Amino acid sequence: MKILGISGSLRRESYNTKLLRAAEELLPAEVEFELYDGLKAIPPYDEEDDGEDAPESVTALREAIAEADGILIATPEYNSSVPGHLKNSLDWVSRPLATNTLRNKPVVVVGASTGAFGAVWAQAELRKVLAAIGARVVDAEVAVGHAPTRFDDSGRLVDENLLSDLEETVEALTDEVRERSLFALTNIRS
Ligand SMILES: Cc1cc2nc3c(=O)[nH]c(=O)nc-3n(C[C@H](O)[C@H](O)[C@H](O)COP(=O)(O)O)c2cc1C
């Protein structure tokens, strides 16, 4: 099983990226994890640039999603919503709508913010967008509020309650992936 982690923050010291690293450590050893690092190269969506000759950065993201069995997105909240570049990247991935690589893909959304609420509004909006794209959005949430107090100096998540929430969430994602592969297998055989 392969899980692709996508951070909605581009900065090196991002709490959301640290949250994904914490999730990686909670995954069973047999699960492969890749942290996607190509989001910054994705241009603003332009329908005229889409299709066969879509930008390489876009094709790379579409393919990375296609190759993964499940997706884990950690999003910050920008002005009570999803960061523009993350939404923009998902707009690219959403096309062509019927065959986009997120369709039926199990996805979990988590989030961290420096404010009190842990990006809950951004997470909710992101789930709505992902559902519109056709992803299988797993019903789980981790909200890391006051992020600077939840990680130690080496960037490790140290809050026991959040670690436990994150473990449950990661498990919900891997369970969903297993269920989907079982379902696919049953369908092939029948
Ligand atoms: C443009 C911008 C808008 C922000 N808006 C919000 C917000 O609406 N709610 C919130 O809790 N934090 C907000 N913040 C603070 C972020 O939670 C904080 O920068 C956080 O560290 C971003 O996540 P990162 O550490 O993964 O980069 C905003 C930050 C920026 C740069």
Side-chain angles (χ1 to χ4, degrees), residues 52-173:
E52 300 267 300
D53 296 326
E56 235 171 78
S57 56
V58 169
T59 309
L61 177 59
R62 285 173 172 157
E63 282 173 3
I65 290 172
E67 282 162 17
D69 300 295
I71 314 290
L72 179 58
I73 304 181
T75 185
E77 189 162 281
Y78 283 180
N79 301 306
S80 306
S81 188
V82 181
H85 60 273
L86 177 57
K87 171 67 165 55
N88 175 62
S89 301
L90 294 175
D91 288 339
W92 278 107
V93 173
S94 73
R95 290 308 189 255
L97 193 57
T99 56
N100 79 70
T101 58
L102 269 172
R103 186 160 290 283
N104 291 322
K105 189 77 65 177
V107 181
V108 152
V109 174
V110 296
S113 75
T114 50
F117 302 110
V120 284
W121 286 344
Q123 291 189 51
E125 296 207 354
L126 187 54
R127 289 188 193 99
K128 185 184 74 178
V129 169
L130 288 162
I133 293 173
R136 196 168 203 86
V137 184
V138 178
D139 185 19
E141 181 172 271
V142 177
V144 181
H146 300 303
T149 66
R150 313 289 187 206
F151 295 86
D152 69 12
D153 290 345
S154 60
R156 295 174 69 87
L157 183 64
V158 288
D159 183 298
E160 288 301 325
N161 291 332
L162 287 170
L163 273 167
S164 158
D165 287 354
L166 190 60
E167 188 162 22
E168 275 177 33
T169 298
V170 159
E171 225 176 88
L173 177 60

